[in-house]
Amino acid sequence: MTDMLRLHYAPDNASLIIRLALEEMGVPYKAVLVDRAARAQDTPAYRALNPAGLIPVLETPHGPVFETGAILLWLADRRAAARIPMAPAPDATDRGDFLKWLFFTANTVHTEMRLLFYPEKYAPGLDAEALRDGIRTRLRGHLGLLDMAAKANPAWLSPDRPSVLTCYLACLLRWMALYPRGTDLSWFSLSDTPWLHRVASAMETRPSARAAIAAEGLGATPFTAPTYATPPEGSAT
């Protein structure tokens, strides 16, 4: 990857996960703000990059890549040759275990978080709080499974070495503690998942986290005791 990558981002959005991974890998990139307040994600120019209008998009020499899990896997596989292991190699014996938890995180946990945050988009006319209660129960179960996986201390879900999965999970844990604003957040406590807590604490000390804090105004403890972002540009919502 010799050409400069372009990360289309909004502060404290899913693009934060990609920013952390890029910073960990030491990959040069340009951050391009998507102004959510102006609905820039709905413009023809942005929809040409991601027809679903979701953030993030990573522009690459081979074309735009969207969907957070896909971007992470694309980056990890291409940086493996540079000996910056952020995921098991395609022929590694633990590749299957890594993939199942990466896609569980992307397809199940992250998807159900979107339902928690935006129930009116997915079930208009239904009781939003009743729907949220059901989703909270499911998310507690998902976090328990991930905590057990982290307890086994595989290299790609360990506090000792970052991976694209630990970048992903640190951000999801952050958002569970903060959103949706104005709703009951007492269902979530990072202390309930001590092994994930260790992962989040370790990610928080990384230079990648420091770079993200500076770029997006995330506060001193963005994963273990998060506060709402105060970004120098753009808006998280």
Side-chain angles (χ1 to χ4, degrees):
M1 294 187 292
T2 56
D3 294 350
M4 179 72 75
L5 300 176
R6 289 166 55 88
L7 173 62
H8 294 262
Y9 88 102
D12 212 13
N13 277 233
S15 47
L16 174 60
I17 300 162
I18 310 304
R19 186 189 290 275
L20 290 174
L22 289 166
E23 293 288 345
E24 281 291 341
M25 295 176 189
V27 177
Y29 69 98
K30 177 179 175 59
V32 181
L33 178 68
V34 181
D35 186 353
R36 289 192 62 181
R39 301 297 303 176
Q41 67 269 33
D42 292 331
T43 62
Y46 191 81
R47 292 282 179 148
L49 298 172
N50 183 352
L54 297 175
I55 301 167
V57 169
L58 187 69
E59 284 192 84
T60 83
H62 312 294
V65 183
F66 54 85
E67 291 295 317
T68 301
I71 297 171
L72 291 174
L73 196 56
W74 187 92
L75 284 169
D77 285 353
R78 275 149 186 80
R79 294 307 290 178
R83 299 184 181 179
I84 305 173
M86 293 285 285
D91 59 350
T93 56
D94 58 347
R95 175 75 166 192
D97 277 343
F98 162 75
L99 288 177
K100 71 188 181 187
W101 290 114
L102 175 64
F103 282 92
F104 176 75
T105 299
N107 294 354
T108 301
V109 182
H110 198 172
T111 296
E112 292 189 14
M113 284 178 63
R114 285 186 59 83
L115 288 169
L116 178 68
F117 295 170
Y118 309 111
E120 67 284 351
K121 291 185 178 180
Y122 299 96
L126 294 184
D127 184 333
E129 277 310 304
L131 179 58
R132 284 189 171 118
D133 282 343
I135 294 166
R136 290 175 185 126
T137 299
R138 289 182 55 82
L139 285 172
R140 278 194 292 266
H142 300 336
L143 291 174
L145 295 176
L146 284 161
D147 200 55
M148 287 190 292
K151 184 178 180 179
N153 201 40
W156 35 266
L157 189 48
S158 165
D160 301 324
R161 190 179 76 192
S163 71
V164 295
L165 181 54
T166 57
C167 291
Y168 209 148
L169 287 172
C171 294
L172 296 189
L173 294 169
R174 167 183 171 78
W175 298 325
M176 287 184 201
L178 292 176
Y179 298 107
R181 292 197 195 206
T183 66
D184 178 15
L185 300 175
S186 65
W187 71 274
F188 173 78
S189 174
L190 188 55
S191 62
D192 292 339
T193 51
W195 298 95
L196 292 181
H197 194 164
R198 292 177 65 212
V199 169
S201 295
M203 279 299 304
E204 202 166 74
T205 67
R206 303 288 301 176
S208 60
R210 299 300 106 186
I213 288 167
E216 303 194 15
L218 303 181
T221 52
F223 307 129
T224 60
T227 56
Y228 294 114
T230 54
E233 64 172 2
S235 168
T237 55

